[in-house]
Amino acid sequence: MQFPKLTPLQSRLAASLIASAILVLVYIFLTPNHFAYAAELDSILQEDHNHHRLHARAPADLLDDLDDYDDAEGYEAEFMGVSRSITGRVAAFSDALTNNVVNKMDLDPGLTHNYVFAKAEVLGNHTDKGVGYPSVLQLQRRSVNLDGTESLMLDQEDRGDGELLDEEETEDIHKRQDEGPAVYISVNACRQPSPNGTVSGSPPHLTMYISKTNKAPGRNSQKDLVTPPIPFQGGFANYTLNSTGDVYIGISAPDLPKNYAGNWHFEIAASIDGLYQQYHDSEFLFSVDTDSGSALFITHNLTPNDTMPDVDSEWVKFGPLFTMYAFPQDYRPIKGLEQSFCAIRESFDAASLPVSTGMTQRMTPALNQPPLNQKLTNQTKQQFHIDGLNASSTYTAYLAMVGNGTTEGPDVPDGKVVGGGGQIWKAITFNTKTDGNCQVIYNLTFCSDVAYAVPANPSKFNAIGLASLYDTQAQSYYDNFTKSIAQVACDTTDTARYSLAKTCDDCAQDYKNWLCAVQIPRCEDFSSSPALTYLQPRNIGQDFINGTEPNANATAEKRMSFTQSRNPLIDSVIKPGPYKELLPCEDLCYSIVQSCPANLGFSCPSGKNLEAGYGKRDPSEQNMTCSYLGAVLQKPSGGGRLSISAGLVVSMALLAVMLAG
């Protein structure tokens, strides 16, 4: 069929009609109702922070549909001239995470909450790590050997960012650089459901899910996960991956078993600079000693070695880096949350168990050396003293770092702090004494390396007065020694010196260490197990400070060493009643003989006399069987205690000779 030929006027009219029809169709498709729907959806996703509450109240069948929707592409607002790679995609019911900023959330049982760490954050600017520390920290890391045994290795922690990297991890990071920047994700469960009645164990844990493509990963949506689901361990979970785009995270709560009620509260953060929260599966805190109401702790040396006096001084000026928390053993509120900084911090009752802390350069052993071969150093470390403890009780202590040690996340206007969520170290347990006549003293002026429990009587002296009494006596005896050593030609030629290996300074130091160790004996409960044969009963002729009589055997009563103390001042002035002494180690006596001039007449006893006054080190290195300055308790071990130091010692007869000199 042939169409009629149109005149020029008719042709222009037809073109106008066709153009009008096209405009009508465009108007229909681009109706304002559609624009309003898209804007409203974006507003809900980006601004309404209560959408998770609507999700929690939705019927189960609707939730299933929503989960299916999350896995599908769904509707996404498009903007002419703007690429989707720039605007990004945010899944329904997900919160956006900002680099090094914590997000806090309550989560009910059976639900999942989702987050997105957007491409703009992944490829964004790094956060300033702050001032850092005066030196790197020497941390321990456990390594499992091929035979199944564990070894402890040293790791260096970067100055202030908290990242522990060994050679293998560093090489792995280099291999993954082509996959994009590293993204560090960490989560702390701060609170959890509580039991309604008497139950054993702890409630089930949260689980973390991570994906690069699944916008709403979780317990009901495990497609395209970058790693298997990550269950929380002790209230802590973390994962590091490389990415060049969005990273999607889901935190799922399990269904709650009977006899539990409540929900979980957690803190989550993502970072391109380092983990925001951390848990270290190794000890950096050690128990020094306890009495019946307090305990003393100390960290490892903060400087890498003993040849950095300037750095030691910087640490003293820097001040306390760590904090410490303590709880009765099996304390219910933190059961199952032992690796979570925020859980430990929120549960600690500082009013009931006050902790004092400060820096010290007291003599302690170098890290990771066997007890019999350790080198003692005066490097800077931090110490803690905690009060308010109950006698004959077991406690758990946690070393922690608030924020990154210099700044806490909420302390800055935008909240951006690398490592601002805090760190926690593996817990240690300790036991308080029973009898009440041993008192922990420390920070003495003259005997500055003394830090342990000594014979005491709380009704006569407090800790400060007791420390001053012991310290003043030792200082007066040392003054007599300095008069004797002044008679020796110390500053002379090598051929005229009394020794080519030792100097008068060596003699003076060894004598001071010995004097403080034997004049200020280390005290243990008289009720300690008789199986601990290295403990020497003392002062059994007096009643206990509560007025009761000791139950001593006839053989012990005949031994003079049992009926009196090593230092007469203890029996005549302090009057602690019966106690047991951890005898000083015999090697200190040998140190004085080796270091000092022969004309001073120093000598060590032998045979029964040596055994009566001094102890020997445990060849197996398992128990601290004699006392020495700088000793700390690595961990409890039945009745015995592991040691990590070396010390000094001499006999009572030698003491009388030297004090007279």
Side-chain angles (χ1 to χ4, degrees), residues 407-441:
T407 310
E408 188 176 3
D411 291 343
V412 297
D414 60 2
K416 289 186 176 182
V417 176
V418 179
Q423 303 179 43
I424 201 82
W425 274 259
K426 184 178 181 179
I428 64 172
T429 58
F430 65 97
N431 301 301
T432 54
K433 292 182 172 63
T434 301
D435 297 343
N437 60 345
C438 296
Q439 173 72 58
V440 170
I441 61 173

mmCIF file of all heavy atoms in Angstrom, residues 407-441:
data_model
loop_
_atom_site.group_PDB
_atom_site.id
_atom_site.type_symbol
_atom_site.label_atom_id
_atom_site.label_comp_id
_atom_site.label_asym_id
_atom_site.label_seq_id
_atom_site.Cartn_x
_atom_site.Cartn_y
_atom_site.Cartn_z
ATOM 1 N N THR A 407 45.582 8.064 73.749
ATOM 2 C CA THR A 407 44.303 8.687 73.428
ATOM 3 C C THR A 407 43.227 7.622 73.331
ATOM 4 O O THR A 407 43.464 6.540 72.794
ATOM 5 C CB THR A 407 44.363 9.448 72.085
ATOM 6 O OG1 THR A 407 45.493 10.307 72.087
ATOM 7 C CG2 THR A 407 43.104 10.278 71.874
ATOM 8 N N GLU A 408 42.038 7.958 73.829
ATOM 9 C CA GLU A 408 40.895 7.070 73.705
ATOM 10 C C GLU A 408 39.950 7.642 72.667
ATOM 11 O O GLU A 408 39.802 8.864 72.555
ATOM 12 C CB GLU A 408 40.193 6.932 75.055
ATOM 13 C CG GLU A 408 39.100 5.866 75.075
ATOM 14 C CD GLU A 408 38.498 5.704 76.458
ATOM 15 O OE1 GLU A 408 38.892 6.461 77.366
ATOM 16 O OE2 GLU A 408 37.633 4.838 76.611
ATOM 17 N N GLY A 409 39.282 6.764 71.887
ATOM 18 C CA GLY A 409 38.427 7.204 70.798
ATOM 19 C C GLY A 409 37.498 8.361 71.128
ATOM 20 O O GLY A 409 37.513 9.404 70.459
ATOM 21 N N PRO A 410 36.660 8.249 72.159
ATOM 22 C CA PRO A 410 35.710 9.333 72.464
ATOM 23 C C PRO A 410 36.361 10.641 72.909
ATOM 24 O O PRO A 410 35.689 11.646 73.044
ATOM 25 C CB PRO A 410 34.873 8.731 73.602
ATOM 26 C CG PRO A 410 35.015 7.253 73.451
ATOM 27 C CD PRO A 410 36.410 7.047 72.953
ATOM 28 N N ASP A 411 37.666 10.640 73.154
ATOM 29 C CA ASP A 411 38.330 11.839 73.649
ATOM 30 C C ASP A 411 38.605 12.872 72.556
ATOM 31 O O ASP A 411 39.006 14.003 72.861
ATOM 32 C CB ASP A 411 39.661 11.477 74.324
ATOM 33 C CG ASP A 411 39.438 10.723 75.628
ATOM 34 O OD1 ASP A 411 38.311 10.782 76.144
ATOM 35 O OD2 ASP A 411 40.386 10.087 76.114
ATOM 36 N N VAL A 412 38.446 12.513 71.290
ATOM 37 C CA VAL A 412 38.721 13.454 70.205
ATOM 38 C C VAL A 412 37.408 13.829 69.533
ATOM 39 O O VAL A 412 36.440 13.062 69.553
ATOM 40 C CB VAL A 412 39.707 12.852 69.185
ATOM 41 C CG1 VAL A 412 41.050 12.586 69.839
ATOM 42 C CG2 VAL A 412 39.155 11.565 68.583
ATOM 43 N N PRO A 413 37.349 15.013 68.916
ATOM 44 C CA PRO A 413 36.070 15.494 68.362
ATOM 45 C C PRO A 413 35.415 14.563 67.356
ATOM 46 O O PRO A 413 34.222 14.323 67.411
ATOM 47 C CB PRO A 413 36.473 16.835 67.719
ATOM 48 C CG PRO A 413 37.679 17.270 68.476
ATOM 49 C CD PRO A 413 38.417 16.011 68.826
ATOM 50 N N ASP A 414 36.190 14.026 66.411
ATOM 51 C CA ASP A 414 35.592 13.159 65.394
ATOM 52 C C ASP A 414 35.657 11.686 65.781
ATOM 53 O O ASP A 414 35.176 10.819 65.038
ATOM 54 C CB ASP A 414 36.270 13.368 64.037
ATOM 55 C CG ASP A 414 37.766 13.062 64.066
ATOM 56 O OD1 ASP A 414 38.267 12.659 65.133
ATOM 57 O OD2 ASP A 414 38.418 13.226 63.016
ATOM 58 N N GLY A 415 36.252 11.371 66.928
ATOM 59 C CA GLY A 415 36.308 9.983 67.387
ATOM 60 C C GLY A 415 37.326 9.132 66.684
ATOM 61 O O GLY A 415 37.453 7.953 66.986
ATOM 62 N N LYS A 416 38.081 9.681 65.745
ATOM 63 C CA LYS A 416 39.019 8.886 64.959
ATOM 64 C C LYS A 416 40.341 8.720 65.703
ATOM 65 O O LYS A 416 41.123 9.661 65.811
ATOM 66 C CB LYS A 416 39.269 9.530 63.594
ATOM 67 C CG LYS A 416 38.098 9.460 62.644
ATOM 68 C CD LYS A 416 38.468 9.975 61.271
ATOM 69 C CE LYS A 416 37.330 9.827 60.284
ATOM 70 N NZ LYS A 416 37.701 10.275 58.923
ATOM 71 N N VAL A 417 40.565 7.516 66.238
ATOM 72 C CA VAL A 417 41.810 7.209 66.941
ATOM 73 C C VAL A 417 42.253 5.814 66.533
ATOM 74 O O VAL A 417 41.496 4.857 66.680
ATOM 75 C CB VAL A 417 41.636 7.272 68.468
ATOM 76 C CG1 VAL A 417 42.920 6.843 69.166
ATOM 77 C CG2 VAL A 417 41.250 8.676 68.902
ATOM 78 N N VAL A 418 43.466 5.692 66.005
ATOM 79 C CA VAL A 418 43.996 4.380 65.653
ATOM 80 C C VAL A 418 44.186 3.567 66.934
ATOM 81 O O VAL A 418 44.869 4.001 67.858
ATOM 82 C CB VAL A 418 45.344 4.512 64.910
ATOM 83 C CG1 VAL A 418 45.887 3.129 64.575
ATOM 84 C CG2 VAL A 418 45.158 5.327 63.637
ATOM 85 N N GLY A 419 43.555 2.401 67.008
ATOM 86 C CA GLY A 419 43.637 1.590 68.215
ATOM 87 C C GLY A 419 42.918 2.190 69.396
ATOM 88 O O GLY A 419 43.209 1.848 70.552
ATOM 89 N N GLY A 420 41.952 3.069 69.156
ATOM 90 C CA GLY A 420 41.287 3.791 70.236
ATOM 91 C C GLY A 420 40.345 2.964 71.082
ATOM 92 O O GLY A 420 39.818 3.457 72.079
ATOM 93 N N GLY A 421 40.124 1.694 70.712
ATOM 94 C CA GLY A 421 39.181 0.859 71.451
ATOM 95 C C GLY A 421 39.786 0.104 72.610
ATOM 96 O O GLY A 421 39.071 -0.588 73.346
ATOM 97 N N GLY A 422 41.104 0.187 72.813
ATOM 98 C CA GLY A 422 41.742 -0.460 73.947
ATOM 99 C C GLY A 422 42.244 -1.854 73.651
ATOM 100 O O GLY A 422 41.902 -2.465 72.638
ATOM 101 N N GLN A 423 43.088 -2.353 74.563
ATOM 102 C CA GLN A 423 43.681 -3.680 74.435
ATOM 103 C C GLN A 423 43.594 -4.400 75.768
ATOM 104 O O GLN A 423 43.582 -3.774 76.821
ATOM 105 C CB GLN A 423 45.152 -3.586 74.018
ATOM 106 C CG GLN A 423 45.387 -2.817 72.723
ATOM 107 C CD GLN A 423 46.851 -2.736 72.356
ATOM 108 O OE1 GLN A 423 47.587 -3.710 72.461
ATOM 109 N NE2 GLN A 423 47.301 -1.553 71.925
ATOM 110 N N ILE A 424 43.570 -5.718 75.703
ATOM 111 C CA ILE A 424 43.546 -6.544 76.907
ATOM 112 C C ILE A 424 44.537 -7.687 76.722
ATOM 113 O O ILE A 424 44.708 -8.187 75.609
ATOM 114 C CB ILE A 424 42.115 -7.084 77.181
ATOM 115 C CG1 ILE A 424 41.955 -7.498 78.648
ATOM 116 C CG2 ILE A 424 41.742 -8.188 76.254
ATOM 117 C CD1 ILE A 424 41.650 -6.351 79.549
ATOM 118 N N TRP A 425 45.215 -8.059 77.810
ATOM 119 C CA TRP A 425 46.168 -9.163 77.770
ATOM 120 C C TRP A 425 45.602 -10.386 78.483
ATOM 121 O O TRP A 425 44.658 -10.280 79.270
ATOM 122 C CB TRP A 425 47.483 -8.751 78.420
ATOM 123 C CG TRP A 425 48.430 -8.063 77.500
ATOM 124 C CD1 TRP A 425 49.520 -8.596 76.884
ATOM 125 C CD2 TRP A 425 48.376 -6.689 77.070
ATOM 126 N NE1 TRP A 425 50.145 -7.663 76.095
ATOM 127 C CE2 TRP A 425 49.464 -6.478 76.195
ATOM 128 C CE3 TRP A 425 47.514 -5.630 77.341
ATOM 129 C CZ2 TRP A 425 49.704 -5.250 75.595
ATOM 130 C CZ3 TRP A 425 47.755 -4.401 76.729
ATOM 131 C CH2 TRP A 425 48.836 -4.227 75.877
ATOM 132 N N LYS A 426 46.202 -11.516 78.229
ATOM 133 C CA LYS A 426 45.754 -12.759 78.839
ATOM 134 C C LYS A 426 45.750 -12.630 80.361
ATOM 135 O O LYS A 426 46.690 -12.120 80.964
ATOM 136 C CB LYS A 426 46.683 -13.906 78.411
ATOM 137 C CG LYS A 426 46.243 -15.262 78.915
ATOM 138 C CD LYS A 426 47.181 -16.349 78.408
ATOM 139 C CE LYS A 426 46.728 -17.727 78.895
ATOM 140 N NZ LYS A 426 47.618 -18.800 78.403
ATOM 141 N N ALA A 427 44.681 -13.114 80.978
ATOM 142 C CA ALA A 427 44.526 -12.986 82.428
ATOM 143 C C ALA A 427 45.523 -13.863 83.170
ATOM 144 O O ALA A 427 45.963 -14.905 82.679
ATOM 145 C CB ALA A 427 43.101 -13.371 82.829
ATOM 146 N N ILE A 428 45.882 -13.428 84.365
ATOM 147 C CA ILE A 428 46.683 -14.242 85.279
ATOM 148 C C ILE A 428 45.892 -14.401 86.576
ATOM 149 O O ILE A 428 45.071 -13.551 86.923
ATOM 150 C CB ILE A 428 48.060 -13.619 85.569
ATOM 151 C CG1 ILE A 428 47.914 -12.273 86.291
ATOM 152 C CG2 ILE A 428 48.859 -13.457 84.290
ATOM 153 C CD1 ILE A 428 49.226 -11.694 86.772
ATOM 154 N N THR A 429 46.102 -15.493 87.279
ATOM 155 C CA THR A 429 45.441 -15.712 88.556
ATOM 156 C C THR A 429 46.448 -15.576 89.690
ATOM 157 O O THR A 429 47.644 -15.826 89.505
ATOM 158 C CB THR A 429 44.775 -17.094 88.611
ATOM 159 O OG1 THR A 429 45.768 -18.102 88.374
ATOM 160 C CG2 THR A 429 43.687 -17.205 87.561
ATOM 161 N N PHE A 430 45.968 -15.184 90.852
ATOM 162 C CA PHE A 430 46.833 -15.063 92.017
ATOM 163 C C PHE A 430 46.020 -15.359 93.272
ATOM 164 O O PHE A 430 44.790 -15.242 93.277
ATOM 165 C CB PHE A 430 47.472 -13.675 92.093
ATOM 166 C CG PHE A 430 46.497 -12.547 92.299
ATOM 167 C CD1 PHE A 430 46.247 -12.034 93.568
ATOM 168 C CD2 PHE A 430 45.837 -11.972 91.214
ATOM 169 C CE1 PHE A 430 45.359 -10.993 93.759
ATOM 170 C CE2 PHE A 430 44.944 -10.921 91.392
ATOM 171 C CZ PHE A 430 44.707 -10.434 92.674
ATOM 172 N N ASN A 431 46.727 -15.750 94.340
ATOM 173 C CA ASN A 431 46.088 -16.120 95.601
ATOM 174 C C ASN A 431 46.568 -15.204 96.715
ATOM 175 O O ASN A 431 47.762 -14.904 96.811
ATOM 176 C CB ASN A 431 46.424 -17.574 95.965
ATOM 177 C CG ASN A 431 45.978 -18.548 94.890
ATOM 178 O OD1 ASN A 431 44.810 -18.622 94.563
ATOM 179 N ND2 ASN A 431 46.919 -19.285 94.334
ATOM 180 N N THR A 432 45.652 -14.771 97.550
ATOM 181 C CA THR A 432 46.034 -13.973 98.717
ATOM 182 C C THR A 432 46.424 -14.892 99.869
ATOM 183 O O THR A 432 46.021 -16.052 99.931
ATOM 184 C CB THR A 432 44.877 -13.067 99.161
ATOM 185 O OG1 THR A 432 43.706 -13.857 99.360
ATOM 186 C CG2 THR A 432 44.599 -12.008 98.114
ATOM 187 N N LYS A 433 47.215 -14.357 100.793
ATOM 188 C CA LYS A 433 47.652 -15.121 101.952
ATOM 189 C C LYS A 433 46.529 -15.209 102.994
ATOM 190 O O LYS A 433 45.512 -14.516 102.899
ATOM 191 C CB LYS A 433 48.916 -14.514 102.539
ATOM 192 C CG LYS A 433 50.147 -14.664 101.630
ATOM 193 C CD LYS A 433 51.385 -14.076 102.289
ATOM 194 C CE LYS A 433 52.642 -14.407 101.480
ATOM 195 N NZ LYS A 433 52.632 -13.830 100.130
ATOM 196 N N THR A 434 46.784 -16.032 104.021
ATOM 197 C CA THR A 434 45.723 -16.371 104.967
ATOM 198 C C THR A 434 45.889 -15.741 106.344
ATOM 199 O O THR A 434 44.944 -15.203 106.916
ATOM 200 C CB THR A 434 45.648 -17.905 105.132
ATOM 201 O OG1 THR A 434 45.391 -18.497 103.865
ATOM 202 C CG2 THR A 434 44.559 -18.302 106.115
ATOM 203 N N ASP A 435 47.101 -15.779 106.898
ATOM 204 C CA ASP A 435 47.281 -15.541 108.334
ATOM 205 C C ASP A 435 47.229 -14.077 108.755
ATOM 206 O O ASP A 435 47.002 -13.780 109.928
ATOM 207 C CB ASP A 435 48.600 -16.152 108.794
ATOM 208 C CG ASP A 435 48.628 -17.661 108.617
ATOM 209 O OD1 ASP A 435 47.544 -18.256 108.443
ATOM 210 O OD2 ASP A 435 49.732 -18.251 108.631
ATOM 211 N N GLY A 436 47.488 -13.161 107.856
ATOM 212 C CA GLY A 436 47.372 -11.747 108.199
ATOM 213 C C GLY A 436 48.610 -11.124 108.799
ATOM 214 O O GLY A 436 48.565 -9.952 109.214
ATOM 215 N N ASN A 437 49.729 -11.850 108.912
ATOM 216 C CA ASN A 437 50.939 -11.263 109.486
ATOM 217 C C ASN A 437 52.078 -11.168 108.473
ATOM 218 O O ASN A 437 53.247 -11.126 108.837
ATOM 219 C CB ASN A 437 51.392 -12.040 110.723
ATOM 220 C CG ASN A 437 51.699 -13.502 110.417
ATOM 221 O OD1 ASN A 437 51.330 -14.022 109.368
ATOM 222 N ND2 ASN A 437 52.366 -14.163 111.346
ATOM 223 N N CYS A 438 51.748 -11.154 107.199
ATOM 224 C CA CYS A 438 52.687 -10.823 106.124
ATOM 225 C C CYS A 438 52.139 -9.589 105.408
ATOM 226 O O CYS A 438 50.943 -9.513 105.123
ATOM 227 C CB CYS A 438 52.847 -11.975 105.139
ATOM 228 S SG CYS A 438 53.583 -13.480 105.830
ATOM 229 N N GLN A 439 53.003 -8.615 105.106
ATOM 230 C CA GLN A 439 52.570 -7.361 104.495
ATOM 231 C C GLN A 439 53.466 -7.031 103.306
ATOM 232 O O GLN A 439 54.688 -7.031 103.423
ATOM 233 C CB GLN A 439 52.645 -6.227 105.505
ATOM 234 C CG GLN A 439 52.390 -4.843 104.943
ATOM 235 C CD GLN A 439 50.932 -4.621 104.583
ATOM 236 O OE1 GLN A 439 50.065 -4.749 105.431
ATOM 237 N NE2 GLN A 439 50.668 -4.318 103.320
ATOM 238 N N VAL A 440 52.866 -6.755 102.144
ATOM 239 C CA VAL A 440 53.628 -6.358 100.966
ATOM 240 C C VAL A 440 54.142 -4.934 101.146
ATOM 241 O O VAL A 440 53.381 -4.015 101.472
ATOM 242 C CB VAL A 440 52.754 -6.439 99.695
ATOM 243 C CG1 VAL A 440 53.472 -5.781 98.519
ATOM 244 C CG2 VAL A 440 52.437 -7.888 99.362
ATOM 245 N N ILE A 441 55.447 -4.751 100.946
ATOM 246 C CA ILE A 441 56.051 -3.417 100.957
ATOM 247 C C ILE A 441 56.835 -3.227 99.661
ATOM 248 O O ILE A 441 57.327 -4.193 99.071
ATOM 249 C CB ILE A 441 56.971 -3.190 102.180
ATOM 250 C CG1 ILE A 441 58.135 -4.187 102.180
ATOM 251 C CG2 ILE A 441 56.165 -3.290 103.481
ATOM 252 C CD1 ILE A 441 59.172 -3.910 103.274
#
